Amino acid sequence: MGRIVVTEFISLDGVVEAPGGEDFKHRNWSFAFDRGEDGDRFKLDEALEAEALLIGRRTYESFAGAWPQYQGPLADKYNSMPKYVVSSTLTDPGWNNTRVISGDVVREVSKLKNEVEGDIQIPGSIRLVQELIENDLVDEIHLMTFPVILGAGRRLIEQTTGKTAWKLTESKTVGEGILITIFQRAGRG
């Protein structure tokens, strides 16, 4: 059975919007910090360990517009791995090995967890992540917290209808004071 693993760049005040692009007053805010070799290695290992990507349409458009033109281990992984994009408007994805998920997202992602062995990684994709957290489908959250307060922007967790418990399984500081934390949903292996 697959595990849903969310991975986010996040500010001290919980903003996850546009860390590497998009139209936002603080666009590319994560690029102001050097992650260092350990931070870069963490992101590479995280991607290489994933069996599939699950992303929203906006993240898909950003990734599909960038990764096919790159080379190297990370680009090779992203370009070849199975990708699932949640969208009600996208019908013909052009990026290699991509399937569109539409309709009942919770039901479809639950099925996907049963079909994929290993980690199903979700980078970015704020609305999708919020829906999956609300429906208790996320197994692990990887946060790379940057030492900056943005004061505005979309946050990872706005509001949920219930309380859920998480267990810190790893933490370390890399680069210019960037904190990496990994949380697993309590009660799950």
Side-chain angles (χ1 to χ4, degrees):
M1 182 169 190
R3 295 179 333 129
I4 300 294
V5 178
V6 169
T7 178
E8 300 286 349
F9 290 165
I10 190 166
S11 68
L12 289 175
D13 54 341
V15 174
V16 292
E17 184 174 358
E22 301 94 40
D23 187 25
F24 175 57
K25 76 181 199 175
H26 301 300
R27 69 181 288 171
N28 296 325
W29 55 265
S30 70
F31 293 157
F33 301 90
D34 181 4
R35 296 187 310 218
E37 286 182 30
D38 289 342
D40 290 345
R41 169 60 52 196
F42 173 80
K43 293 307 289 180
L44 177 62
D45 290 347
E46 178 185 62
L48 294 177
E49 291 169 5
E51 293 300 319
L53 279 182
L54 175 61
I55 49 183
R57 184 195 48 81
R58 290 171 72 182
T59 300
Y60 168 80
E61 289 174 351
S62 175
F63 276 38
W67 286 108
Q69 65 190 342
Y70 292 111
Q71 295 179 351
L74 185 57
D76 293 346
K77 177 68 173 189
Y78 280 157
N79 289 322
S80 64
M81 73 191 310
K83 293 167 280 293
Y84 303 89
V85 57
V86 174
S87 176
S88 60
T89 58
L90 184 67
T91 56
D92 187 23
W95 195 12
N96 179 48
N97 209 9
T98 300
R99 187 178 104 201
V100 175
I101 294 176
S102 59
D104 185 341
V105 173
V106 171
R107 183 173 55 84
E108 293 299 317
V109 171
S110 295
K111 282 180 16 184
L112 188 62
K113 284 180 76 167
N114 286 320
E115 295 170 4
V116 174
E117 282 294 325
D119 290 348
I120 304 164
Q121 186 183 88
I122 308 177
S125 307
I126 302 167
R127 278 184 288 187
L128 173 60
V129 168
Q130 289 171 342
E131 183 172 2
L132 297 182
I133 288 173
E134 175 66 24
N135 287 280
D136 203 20
L137 287 173
V138 175
D139 300 289
E140 194 165 280
I141 299 173
H142 297 188
L143 300 176
M144 188 172 262
T145 305
F146 289 79
V148 62
I149 294 173
L150 297 174
R154 295 174 59 209
R155 287 169 169 71
L156 177 60
I157 301 170
E158 295 287 346
Q159 186 172 350
T160 62
T161 57
K163 173 183 159 184
T164 57
W166 295 82
K167 177 183 176 184
L168 178 66
T169 60
E170 185 180 333
S171 68
K172 64 182 171 182
T173 304
V174 297
E176 296 178 337
I178 298 163
L179 179 62
I180 294 173
T181 52
I182 298 177
F183 295 91
Q184 285 184 347
R185 181 69 171 86
R188 295 186 191 163

